[in-house]
Amino acid sequence: ETILVQELANRMAERVADVVKSLMKMGVMATMNQSIDADTAELVIEEFGHKVVRVSDADVEQVIDMIEDAPESLRSRPPIITIMGHVDHGKTSLLDAIRKTSVVSGEAGGITQHIGAYQVTTDTGAVLSFLDTPGHAAFTSMRARGANVTDIVVLVVSAEDAVMPQTIEAINHAKAAKVPMIVAINKIDRPDANPQKVRTDLLQHEVVVEAMSGDVQDVEVSALTGQGLDQLLEAIALQAEILELKANPDRSAMGAVIEAKLDVGRGPVATVLVQNGTLRKGDIFVVGEQWGKVRALINDKGERVDEAGPSVPVEVLGLNGTPEAGDVLNVVDTEAQAREIADYRLQASKDKRAAAGAATTLEQLMAKAKDDQNVAELPIVLKADVQGSAEAIVQAMEKIGNDEVRVRVLHYGVGAITESDIGLAEASGAPVFGFNVRANAPARNSANQKGVEIRYYSVIYDLVDDVKAAASGLLSNEI
Ligand code: GDP
């Protein structure tokens, strides 16, 4: 049993390029015109959050729950927001302040529990779901596992310090994920606050806020005094309206794990953010390499609920093991199916780990990029010892492009290659270039585990030449 990559993409209603990328992540190099076996197809289908039903053990056949949601079945759903920004700029304070607004407004039934995400209702009645883990590390590692849960990024920038290194990282992580941003200029209560500097600093990173005639909303806030919080929530609600976020509440649920732990009293507990459908008590599900039957659902107010619809975060009890953040949950019909898929994935991930030594090469990355529609785009992450070199390399990279091939620098900066760089590279299928800098130990380990390629250079010409060679090799390959 095999299926064409193109056909698989069509049946899932996903972009071919995304399917090819997903295959790359599993270590399978296939173009749209090649066939893959049923087992691999099943993994891809799960990866995209579609449902696979195995009809029998021997004849592994996929019946994708593709009953594509009819337009009339779609309802608007709340946006899911992640807060990012430099350390100490007020991410945690802002999350707490927003959480409190909802308690003050009396909407919350009790004290809000920390389950990994919470919902608030704005004065105008819009419901917003906030992820409780701020920062781009969590955001990008979820994305690397295939869970794109964030709809909107709120970039917190302190009006005292303006743009700092992690602000830039956050901008680039959000851009790489193509998630729209809203800028919250925080600590506006401070006497030395200079919000205008934040706006002009951001210009240098191609974030043009509305106050500078751009299209990125910016709001001055104080997490300390609560000033501007209502405006920030309204800005988010407005952005959400523009995005027209929709889901079908009347189908079996699929969602993403945002937190999971082994609780002494309750056993394995996972907080799941429902992305489509409605999750109910008694549902049988598979989640990553684990499966279970929903014994109880607990919302962000600590209340037991019978069901959770799109964009609602709930704690799920009844798992047979602890999944990982970023794992996708799918409701299936029978325990046998759930167990079978979980076992299958366990085996697949063992196989994958065994094959992890084989890192992708620059050439493979270029070849993969070629499959993306017309213009092949090679994403790269660059770290250098000094700003001048970094900029010189970025300029040279930009010149390599022509009509068919383009190099896209996702992020560049000064200093050692860090885990954050590896995370971004993994999520985007990019290699990391170090110019006169090395990767630190955690980054090296992480790169080994994830199969991210790191290349070191000390001569700009060599670096540019390697990328050029890969690019031209790619061009000459096609007639
Ligand atoms: P995070 O590292 O981005 O999560 O930042 P925190 O939320 O931990 O805040 C860092 C520090 O800034 C803490 O001491 C906060 O009390 C303080 N802080 C955060 N927001 C504000 C604000 O709006 N005004 C003032 N004056 N201080 C703030």
Side-chain angles (χ1 to χ4, degrees):
E1 277 265 49
T2 62
I3 183 167
L4 273 181
V5 173
Q6 169 85 68
E7 167 70 16
L8 178 64
N10 288 349
R11 282 167 62 179
M12 294 193 297
E14 297 286 354
R15 291 175 50 219
V16 180
D18 293 340
V19 175
V20 171
K21 267 187 205 141
S22 155
L23 283 163
M24 279 286 301
K25 269 199 225 147
M26 299 173 192
V28 179
M29 313 294 161
T31 65
M32 57 189 275
N33 297 318
Q34 284 174 334
S35 296
I36 53 171
D37 61 55
D39 287 352
T40 310
E42 174 172 334
L43 284 175
V44 174
I45 294 158
E46 298 287 352
E47 183 84 19
F48 281 91
H50 297 295
K51 198 160 89 179
V52 180
V53 179
R54 285 179 156 212
V55 168
S56 80
D57 251 337
D59 183 15
V60 183
E61 190 177 320
Q62 305 95 42
V63 182
I64 311 163
D65 182 8
M66 264 292 310
I67 315 157
E68 215 180 291
D69 295 318
E72 63 271 18
S73 69
L74 295 174
R75 302 279 172 275
S76 58
R77 63 167 179 87
I80 298 161
I81 301 114
T82 294
I83 296 193
M84 295 195 202
H86 194 75
V87 63
D88 279 348
H89 280 199
K91 298 180 292 293
T92 314
S93 306
L94 199 57
L95 274 166
D96 288 345
I98 293 168
R99 191 197 314 264
K100 273 195 212 110
T101 1
S102 82
V103 175
V104 171
S105 72
E107 170 244 335
I111 302 150
T112 314
Q113 308 288 307
H114 279 269
I115 63 166
Y118 64 85
Q119 287 196 315
V120 297
T121 307
T122 69
D123 289 346
T124 53
V127 178
L128 315 175
S129 300
F130 284 87
L131 290 182
D132 231 349
T133 318
H136 51 263
F139 172 81
T140 297
S141 73
M142 296 263 294
R143 199 158 74 84
R145 293 188 67 82
N148 277 318
V149 291
T150 302
D151 300 305
I152 297 168
V153 164
V154 169
L155 180 71
V156 181
V157 190
S158 156
E160 283 186 306
D161 300 339
V163 171
M164 299 292 273
Q166 288 161 17
T167 316
I168 302 167
E169 282 184 15
I171 292 169
N172 292 332
H173 283 240
K175 278 188 179 167
K178 302 195 167 76
V179 175
M181 257 180 296
I182 292 173
V183 178
I185 305 177
N186 191 33
K187 307 200 185 183
I188 200 71
D189 59 284
R190 300 284 299 167
D192 45 353
N194 184 354
Q196 200 50 30
K197 176 157 192 321
V198 174
R199 297 188 182 98
T200 45
D201 272 11
L202 285 171
L203 279 181
Q204 289 169 27
H205 303 282
E206 281 142 53
V207 177
V208 189
V209 297
E210 283 183 339
M212 306 289 278
S213 312
D215 55 8
V216 176
Q217 296 189 79
D218 59 312
V219 187
E220 295 182 6
V221 299
S222 166
L224 196 72
T225 67
Q227 182 192 335
L229 287 190
D230 286 345
Q231 285 93 316
L232 177 63
L233 297 185
E234 286 316 320
I236 296 169
L238 178 66
Q239 180 68 54
E241 256 174 54
I242 294 166
L243 293 173
E244 293 189 47
L245 305 165
K246 295 210 158 87
N248 174 7
D250 302 315
R251 63 180 285 165
S252 50
M254 115 2 117
V257 174
I258 53 175
E259 235 177 64
K261 61 180 182 222
L262 187 59
D263 191 293
V264 185
R266 302 183 296 170
V269 181
T271 296
V272 172
L273 199 58
V274 178
Q275 293 178 287
N276 201 7
T278 297
L279 184 62
R280 294 193 171 84
K281 235 174 113 172
D283 277 350
I284 296 160
F285 61 88
V286 56
V287 54
E289 294 163 15
Q290 314 297 340
W291 65 277
K293 182 169 179 176
V294 180
R295 195 171 74 226
L297 295 172
I298 299 160
N299 71 11
D300 57 350
K301 319 285 187 298
E303 302 155 344
R304 287 189 173 237
V305 291
D306 290 332
E307 55 175 50
S311 298
V312 175
V314 273
E315 277 192 326
V316 177
L317 272 61
L319 288 137
N320 76 327
T322 314
E324 286 183 55
D327 278 343
V328 174
L329 176 144
N330 288 95
V331 168
V332 295
D333 292 337
T334 67
E335 280 193 18
Q337 282 172 348
R339 202 175 287 146
E340 200 174 1
I341 296 171
D343 285 351
Y344 183 78
R345 284 180 177 167
L346 186 65
Q347 187 55 47
S349 79
K350 275 187 195 146
D351 295 349
K352 199 174 128 193
R353 271 197 291 280
T360 45
T361 66
L362 193 54
E363 284 68 28
Q364 283 170 328
L365 284 166
M366 283 304 278
K368 164 207 145 192
K370 187 64 199 160
D371 287 326
D372 280 40
Q373 275 87 46
N374 306 320
V375 187
E377 207 174 60
L378 174 66
I380 70 163
V381 174
L382 169 72
K383 291 306 271 293
D385 53 345
V386 292
Q387 186 72 14
S389 309
E391 279 165 10
I393 294 167
V394 170
Q395 275 177 17
M397 292 286 121
E398 277 163 4
K399 281 200 199 104
I400 292 176
N402 58 23
D403 288 349
E404 287 157 281
V405 187
R406 194 161 56 210
V407 179
R408 181 159 166 243
V409 182
L410 294 175
H411 174 65
Y412 72 92
V414 171
I417 296 165
T418 63
E419 274 185 288
S420 163
D421 298 323
I422 303 298
L424 176 61
E426 188 202 11
S428 310
V432 182
F433 292 89
F435 184 77
N436 285 336
V437 293
R438 311 289 299 174
N440 61 27
R444 275 200 305 275
N445 291 338
S446 161
N448 278 340
Q449 264 172 28
K450 295 169 173 168
V452 169
E453 190 190 19
I454 304 180
R455 292 195 162 209
Y456 297 112
Y457 294 88
S458 52
V459 180
I460 294 185
Y461 178 83
D462 289 345
L463 191 162
V464 174
D465 235 36
D466 273 7
V467 176
K468 263 191 196 155
S472 61
L474 177 69
L475 287 179
S476 61
N477 278 348
E478 48 151 42
I479 317 115

PDB file of all heavy atoms in Angstrom, residues 394-406:
ATOM      1  N   VAL A 394      24.612  38.441   6.126  1.00  0.00           N
ATOM      2  CA  VAL A 394      23.191  38.526   5.767  1.00  0.00           C
ATOM      3  C   VAL A 394      23.039  39.198   4.406  1.00  0.00           C
ATOM      4  O   VAL A 394      22.286  38.737   3.540  1.00  0.00           O
ATOM      5  CB  VAL A 394      22.392  39.296   6.847  1.00  0.00           C
ATOM      6  CG1 VAL A 394      20.987  39.601   6.355  1.00  0.00           C
ATOM      7  CG2 VAL A 394      22.339  38.482   8.129  1.00  0.00           C
ATOM      8  N   GLN A 395      23.810  40.277   4.186  1.00  0.00           N
ATOM      9  CA  GLN A 395      23.738  40.969   2.893  1.00  0.00           C
ATOM     10  C   GLN A 395      24.161  40.063   1.751  1.00  0.00           C
ATOM     11  O   GLN A 395      23.527  40.018   0.702  1.00  0.00           O
ATOM     12  CB  GLN A 395      24.627  42.214   2.915  1.00  0.00           C
ATOM     13  CG  GLN A 395      23.903  43.404   3.511  1.00  0.00           C
ATOM     14  CD  GLN A 395      24.805  44.615   3.607  1.00  0.00           C
ATOM     15  OE1 GLN A 395      25.849  44.676   2.958  1.00  0.00           O
ATOM     16  NE2 GLN A 395      24.406  45.578   4.415  1.00  0.00           N
ATOM     17  N   ALA A 396      25.252  39.314   1.990  1.00  0.00           N
ATOM     18  CA  ALA A 396      25.738  38.405   0.951  1.00  0.00           C
ATOM     19  C   ALA A 396      24.694  37.329   0.658  1.00  0.00           C
ATOM     20  O   ALA A 396      24.473  36.954  -0.491  1.00  0.00           O
ATOM     21  CB  ALA A 396      27.047  37.769   1.394  1.00  0.00           C
ATOM     22  N   MET A 397      24.030  36.846   1.718  1.00  0.00           N
ATOM     23  CA  MET A 397      23.001  35.802   1.563  1.00  0.00           C
ATOM     24  C   MET A 397      21.854  36.322   0.711  1.00  0.00           C
ATOM     25  O   MET A 397      21.317  35.626  -0.134  1.00  0.00           O
ATOM     26  CB  MET A 397      22.433  35.391   2.930  1.00  0.00           C
ATOM     27  CG  MET A 397      23.390  34.668   3.841  1.00  0.00           C
ATOM     28  SD  MET A 397      23.675  33.001   3.301  1.00  0.00           S
ATOM     29  CE  MET A 397      25.418  33.036   3.064  1.00  0.00           C
ATOM     30  N   GLU A 398      21.496  37.563   0.961  1.00  0.00           N
ATOM     31  CA  GLU A 398      20.364  38.127   0.235  1.00  0.00           C
ATOM     32  C   GLU A 398      20.664  38.254  -1.259  1.00  0.00           C
ATOM     33  O   GLU A 398      19.770  38.183  -2.087  1.00  0.00           O
ATOM     34  CB  GLU A 398      19.984  39.492   0.828  1.00  0.00           C
ATOM     35  CG  GLU A 398      19.100  39.310   2.049  1.00  0.00           C
ATOM     36  CD  GLU A 398      19.012  40.548   2.930  1.00  0.00           C
ATOM     37  OE1 GLU A 398      19.586  41.595   2.560  1.00  0.00           O
ATOM     38  OE2 GLU A 398      18.380  40.449   4.002  1.00  0.00           O
ATOM     39  N   LYS A 399      21.952  38.414  -1.580  1.00  0.00           N
ATOM     40  CA  LYS A 399      22.337  38.565  -2.986  1.00  0.00           C
ATOM     41  C   LYS A 399      22.332  37.233  -3.716  1.00  0.00           C
ATOM     42  O   LYS A 399      22.248  37.202  -4.951  1.00  0.00           O
ATOM     43  CB  LYS A 399      23.741  39.175  -3.076  1.00  0.00           C
ATOM     44  CG  LYS A 399      23.725  40.677  -2.857  1.00  0.00           C
ATOM     45  CD  LYS A 399      24.978  41.334  -3.404  1.00  0.00           C
ATOM     46  CE  LYS A 399      25.193  42.709  -2.805  1.00  0.00           C
ATOM     47  NZ  LYS A 399      26.265  42.714  -1.791  1.00  0.00           N
ATOM     48  N   ILE A 400      22.422  36.120  -2.976  1.00  0.00           N
ATOM     49  CA  ILE A 400      22.497  34.809  -3.631  1.00  0.00           C
ATOM     50  C   ILE A 400      21.216  34.502  -4.394  1.00  0.00           C
ATOM     51  O   ILE A 400      21.223  33.831  -5.396  1.00  0.00           O
ATOM     52  CB  ILE A 400      22.795  33.696  -2.595  1.00  0.00           C
ATOM     53  CG1 ILE A 400      24.209  33.883  -2.057  1.00  0.00           C
ATOM     54  CG2 ILE A 400      22.652  32.315  -3.219  1.00  0.00           C
ATOM     55  CD1 ILE A 400      24.575  32.904  -0.972  1.00  0.00           C
ATOM     56  N   GLY A 401      20.133  35.044  -3.935  1.00  0.00           N
ATOM     57  CA  GLY A 401      18.844  34.698  -4.527  1.00  0.00           C
ATOM     58  C   GLY A 401      18.703  35.051  -5.997  1.00  0.00           C
ATOM     59  O   GLY A 401      19.350  35.959  -6.504  1.00  0.00           O
ATOM     60  N   ASN A 402      17.905  34.271  -6.679  1.00  0.00           N
ATOM     61  CA  ASN A 402      17.443  34.653  -8.013  1.00  0.00           C
ATOM     62  C   ASN A 402      15.974  34.260  -8.095  1.00  0.00           C
ATOM     63  O   ASN A 402      15.332  34.098  -7.057  1.00  0.00           O
ATOM     64  CB  ASN A 402      18.277  33.989  -9.107  1.00  0.00           C
ATOM     65  CG  ASN A 402      18.247  32.477  -8.995  1.00  0.00           C
ATOM     66  OD1 ASN A 402      17.320  31.905  -8.414  1.00  0.00           O
ATOM     67  ND2 ASN A 402      19.249  31.831  -9.539  1.00  0.00           N
ATOM     68  N   ASP A 403      15.463  34.074  -9.301  1.00  0.00           N
ATOM     69  CA  ASP A 403      14.040  33.776  -9.430  1.00  0.00           C
ATOM     70  C   ASP A 403      13.651  32.433  -8.836  1.00  0.00           C
ATOM     71  O   ASP A 403      12.495  32.204  -8.517  1.00  0.00           O
ATOM     72  CB  ASP A 403      13.632  33.787 -10.914  1.00  0.00           C
ATOM     73  CG  ASP A 403      13.636  35.212 -11.441  1.00  0.00           C
ATOM     74  OD1 ASP A 403      13.750  36.124 -10.595  1.00  0.00           O
ATOM     75  OD2 ASP A 403      13.535  35.384 -12.653  1.00  0.00           O
ATOM     76  N   GLU A 404      14.636  31.547  -8.785  1.00  0.00           N
ATOM     77  CA  GLU A 404      14.286  30.187  -8.369  1.00  0.00           C
ATOM     78  C   GLU A 404      14.703  29.836  -6.949  1.00  0.00           C
ATOM     79  O   GLU A 404      14.104  29.006  -6.306  1.00  0.00           O
ATOM     80  CB  GLU A 404      14.920  29.184  -9.339  1.00  0.00           C
ATOM     81  CG  GLU A 404      14.228  29.163 -10.683  1.00  0.00           C
ATOM     82  CD  GLU A 404      15.153  28.623 -11.745  1.00  0.00           C
ATOM     83  OE1 GLU A 404      16.015  29.387 -12.217  1.00  0.00           O
ATOM     84  OE2 GLU A 404      15.025  27.449 -12.068  1.00  0.00           O
ATOM     85  N   VAL A 405      15.778  30.441  -6.524  1.00  0.00           N
ATOM     86  CA  VAL A 405      16.312  30.094  -5.211  1.00  0.00           C
ATOM     87  C   VAL A 405      16.468  31.354  -4.379  1.00  0.00           C
ATOM     88  O   VAL A 405      16.860  32.409  -4.893  1.00  0.00           O
ATOM     89  CB  VAL A 405      17.712  29.433  -5.337  1.00  0.00           C
ATOM     90  CG1 VAL A 405      18.168  28.928  -3.991  1.00  0.00           C
ATOM     91  CG2 VAL A 405      17.671  28.325  -6.351  1.00  0.00           C
ATOM     92  N   ARG A 406      16.124  31.227  -3.117  1.00  0.00           N
ATOM     93  CA  ARG A 406      16.262  32.385  -2.247  1.00  0.00           C
ATOM     94  C   ARG A 406      16.734  31.902  -0.882  1.00  0.00           C
ATOM     95  O   ARG A 406      16.321  30.844  -0.421  1.00  0.00           O
ATOM     96  CB  ARG A 406      14.910  33.077  -2.121  1.00  0.00           C
ATOM     97  CG  ARG A 406      14.986  34.446  -1.523  1.00  0.00           C
ATOM     98  CD  ARG A 406      13.733  35.223  -1.851  1.00  0.00           C
ATOM     99  NE  ARG A 406      12.545  34.492  -1.406  1.00  0.00           N
ATOM    100  CZ  ARG A 406      11.368  34.574  -2.008  1.00  0.00           C
ATOM    101  NH1 ARG A 406      11.209  35.321  -3.059  1.00  0.00           N
ATOM    102  NH2 ARG A 406      10.354  33.903  -1.535  1.00  0.00           N
TER     103      ARG A 406
END
